[in-house]
Amino acid sequence: AQGALQVRWVVGFSRGKDVAALLARLVQAGDVVWAVPFAQPQEMPWISCEQPEAIAEAVQKLGMDGVAVEVFGALGEAVDRLAGDQLDGYLNVICGSLYLVSDVYRVLQVEPFPADPELAKRTKVVSLTKIKSKGKVGRREIMVKVTDAIDTYDYVWVFSVENMRNQYLKQVRRNLGTSQIFMGSNKVMAKALGNDEESELKPNLHKISEALSGEVGLVCTNMDVEETKRAFSEFSAKSYARAGNIAEYQVVVKAGEVVRGVDEEPFPNNMEPTLRGLGMPTVLKQGKILLDNDYVVCEEGDKLTANQAHLLKHLWEQMATFTVKPVAYWHKSSGEFVNLKASSDKEGEGKGESESDESDDDME
């Protein structure tokens, strides 16, 4: 029995199953249902997944109070969200078709049946909120890719990311055209480049390693300096804040019917238990979600809790801005290293640290 525990069901079914009957045995009032598809099995054209929209419709027809439904275009999108929603108090359960289970193993990069029989006997717990380590082989592969890119491209850039979102980083990749982006372990990337003058691949390249600190990445490109700066600066996007972000402004929900968005759209009545569970003192009267008094979700400057972040998302208040900023770059032909962060801090005291050495014959 679930008791008071709220469950987030991530479900995907094969077409032809009695989805409503299956869900009726799982879902209870106050739960959340995320409907996802599974990948088409190879050489099995007679198998297909039920559309997530159809699963969502089946959930709504159950008529349970407070059951929130969301549709995803791919299982990976739901898993990424689970990693960001790890502190919201829900028990996360992925279930449904065995083909969906197969996709889970693939998304999490887990080997379902270890070759060693002894290992197969052991139960392996996989956290959806942690990134699986690539291991020594994976780290070596990354280092090889970085060193190959150094030989291929003219410039190496370090860029910083604020409010990282994968879908927006993909747009930055498109802006950078044929350039190559690396984001991962700073230590691994720095080791590939060289941590000091003795181990660096090219003159001054260790300075790029020194700039790899915090949430940063590498870009290897043939674009010139100004063109690369434009590619970084041309894209920013608003997103929902997460727990730990700082509130940019005060958000107050007025007494009366609870609404959201610039058009003041009323909440569906099945959202009332969710809002109340996140701390908003709502009541449900005649199918409307109401507040007896104004409710302050956050004040400007607040460090957002998980509940506040979720309420802001439900209220469609986007307080985070995804941005990428160039930190430093290195030019292969000249060996020049430019620290753009130091340049901006000095404000007019020069264009930053710039050091050049004559290049070797093999640095073209």
Side-chain angles (χ1 to χ4, degrees):
Q2 294 177 26
L5 181 64
Q6 289 182 305
V7 180
R8 180 188 285 109
W9 301 97
V10 183
V11 295
F13 300 102
S14 298
R15 184 165 295 174
K17 300 294 184 181
D18 190 343
V19 174
L22 293 169
L23 291 170
R25 299 178 66 88
L26 298 174
V27 181
Q28 296 189 18
D31 285 354
V32 173
V33 178
W34 286 2
V36 299
F38 57 77
Q40 176 64 44
Q42 294 183 359
E43 300 181 1
M44 301 178 70
W46 60 90
I47 299 294
S48 60
C49 68
E50 187 63 81
Q51 293 299 312
E53 292 79 8
I55 297 175
E57 184 178 352
V59 175
Q60 293 168 350
K61 287 181 178 179
L62 295 177
M64 293 185 181
D65 292 334
V67 177
V69 187
E70 191 164 349
V71 171
F72 289 81
L75 173 64
E77 297 175 8
V79 171
D80 287 344
R81 278 277 299 280
L82 287 177
D85 294 346
Q86 57 184 294
L87 300 177
D88 64 1
Y90 283 88
L91 172 65
N92 298 311
V93 179
I94 302 178
C95 63
S97 170
L98 287 176
Y99 299 108
L100 179 66
V101 175
S102 176
D103 283 357
V104 171
Y105 282 119
R106 185 163 48 252
V107 169
L108 296 179
Q109 301 180 31
V110 176
E111 177 62 45
F113 304 109
D116 187 338
E118 290 300 315
L119 291 178
K121 296 177 182 178
R122 304 174 190 172
T123 300
K124 184 174 183 180
V125 178
V126 178
S127 172
L128 293 176
T129 61
K130 294 182 179 179
I131 299 174
K132 185 177 182 293
S133 173
K134 294 182 180 295
K136 290 184 178 179
V137 174
R139 290 193 289 271
R140 281 197 295 268
E141 289 178 353
I142 293 173
M143 291 176 65
V144 169
K145 290 180 180 179
V146 171
T147 54
D148 287 347
I150 299 301
D151 291 333
T152 303
Y153 296 95
D154 294 333
Y155 289 91
V156 179
W157 289 74
V158 177
F159 65 93
S160 64
V161 181
E162 292 184 11
N163 299 302
M164 174 64 184
R165 302 292 186 272
N166 286 332
Q167 65 269 34
Y168 296 146
L169 185 61
K170 291 177 182 177
Q171 180 60 52
V172 175
R173 291 179 186 273
R174 287 192 286 268
N175 288 357
L176 290 167
T178 59
S179 306
Q180 195 164 358
I181 292 181
F182 298 95
M183 287 201 73
S185 168
N186 291 341
K187 290 184 178 179
V188 173
M189 293 188 292
K191 187 174 181 180
L193 300 173
N195 288 306
D196 49 39
E197 292 185 13
E198 287 72 26
S199 61
E200 64 185 6
L201 293 177
K202 306 286 184 181
N204 274 339
L205 193 54
H206 76 280
K207 295 181 181 294
I208 288 291
S209 297
E210 294 172 354
L212 291 172
S213 177
E215 194 163 16
V216 297
L218 286 177
V219 170
C220 298
T221 182
N222 287 326
M223 297 166 59
D224 64 36
V225 172
E226 293 305 317
E227 189 179 6
T228 306
K229 287 182 179 179
R230 284 195 300 271
F232 283 130
S233 64
E234 284 175 355
F235 186 82
S236 66
K238 296 295 292 183
S239 184
Y240 293 107
R242 293 175 176 172
N245 287 154
I246 303 301
E248 295 181 349
Y249 49 85
Q250 182 193 61
V251 174
V252 179
V253 182
K254 298 296 184 181
E257 184 172 10
V258 179
V259 296
R260 57 183 173 180
V262 294
D263 296 329
E264 298 188 344
E265 178 179 324
F267 276 82
N269 57 20
N270 63 2
M271 285 291 296
E272 194 277 331
T274 300
L275 297 177
R276 183 159 31 87
L278 292 172
M280 186 182 293
T282 55
V283 292
L284 188 62
K285 293 181 180 179
Q286 297 180 343
K288 295 182 179 181
I289 302 176
L290 304 176
L291 279 173
D292 291 333
N293 300 290
D294 291 356
Y295 178 75
V296 179
V297 178
C298 65
E299 297 282 2
E300 181 180 354
D302 280 353
K303 185 176 182 179
L304 296 175
T305 65
N307 281 358
Q308 287 174 312
H310 282 287
L311 279 175
L312 291 172
K313 187 170 185 178
H314 288 309
L315 292 166
W316 299 342
E317 295 285 349
Q318 294 184 319
M319 285 193 179
T321 304
F322 170 88
T323 57
V324 288
K325 297 179 180 178
V327 174
Y329 69 85
W330 171 86
H331 185 214
K332 181 168 63 176
S333 298
S334 64
E336 180 185 38
F337 171 81
V338 177
N339 188 335
L340 297 171
K341 186 176 181 180
S343 176
S344 61
D345 290 343
K346 291 179 180 178
E347 293 184 349
E349 294 182 7
K351 294 186 177 180
E353 180 181 357
S354 177
E355 299 181 15
S356 304
D357 294 319
E358 293 186 2
S359 61
D360 297 332
D361 293 338
D362 61 348
M363 291 177 56
E364 300 178 355

